[in-house]
Amino acid sequence: GPRSVQAVFFNLHTSVVGDGTVSVSSTTPPYGINTVAVLTANASANWAFDHWTGDVMGSQNPESLLMSGPRSVQAVFVRTAYPLTVTTPGGGMVYVNGEAIPAETFFPIGSVVTMSAVASSGWSFKEWQGDANGTNNPLNITMNQTNNVQAVFETVVGTTPVGGGQRCSK
């Protein structure tokens, strides 16, 4: 009788390191032998595609992969920016590069930001806590990590004299 021809299909496994996705174009899995899968790495916000590992090497994007067997590919993404969150438990405001910023504002890796603590009336700036410390105001920090910083303010202690001090006259 007629000989049956067995179709050969291969699976393609994709994964990511960092924050992003891999999309695969054209045909749907499983892939017939010698079909070409086109891989596109899509970086998330504040991340960038760096390189492929596994059955694809290099940093071409998109990249074509010949499906001559089961394949596993990983896209590696790297950060391009880190978030800065500054909190003030009352008593004042903090300006970053001269403006008030929302929580988790991203700044490019390696950039230097200037934080200025401005005390409210009746308060004074005491110190920085969290990922920055000390009493320098303004304070420059380099964005090489996620930074959560708190500006600590204290109430100004009054210096009015208490008690006597009455002059004795002869």
Side-chain angles (χ1 to χ4, degrees):
R3 234 176 83 209
S4 66
V5 176
Q6 177 66 48
V8 178
F9 292 98
F10 298 115
N11 284 318
L12 169 61
H13 176 73
T14 61
S15 58
V16 299
V17 172
D19 204 342
T21 60
V22 175
S23 53
V24 183
S25 80
S26 64
T27 56
T28 53
Y31 297 90
I33 191 164
N34 292 336
T35 56
V36 173
V38 178
L39 306 166
T40 304
N42 311 291
S44 298
N46 303 304
W47 290 76
F49 171 69
D50 192 69
H51 65 277
W52 301 104
T53 61
D55 291 317
V56 172
M57 296 305 228
S59 55
Q60 186 173 312
N61 186 30
E63 177 66 272
S64 298
L65 175 62
L66 182 64
M67 295 299 294
S68 52
R71 293 285 179 257
S72 178
V73 176
Q74 196 167 52
V76 178
F77 298 93
V78 293
R79 276 189 180 276
T80 58
Y82 281 106
L84 170 63
T85 299
V86 182
T87 54
T88 54
M93 281 281 301
V94 173
Y95 297 94
V96 177
N97 295 341
E99 57 188 27
I101 62 165
E104 287 213 317
T105 297
F106 282 80
F107 293 93
I109 287 181
S111 61
V112 175
V113 297
T114 302
M115 299 185 301
S116 306
V118 179
S120 302
S121 178
W123 293 77
S124 67
F125 172 71
K126 183 183 178 197
E127 64 183 356
W128 302 104
Q129 291 182 355
D131 291 317
N133 51 47
T135 56
N136 287 358
N137 187 28
L139 178 69
N140 291 336
I141 60 169
T142 303
M143 294 300 296
N144 287 325
Q145 63 175 28
T146 296
N147 283 289
N148 293 299
V149 179
Q150 189 174 57
V152 179
F153 297 92
E154 57 191 358
T155 52
V156 176
V157 178
T159 54
T160 48
V162 176
Q166 143 191 0
R167 268 184 26 220
C168 302
S169 49
K170 287 192 175 173

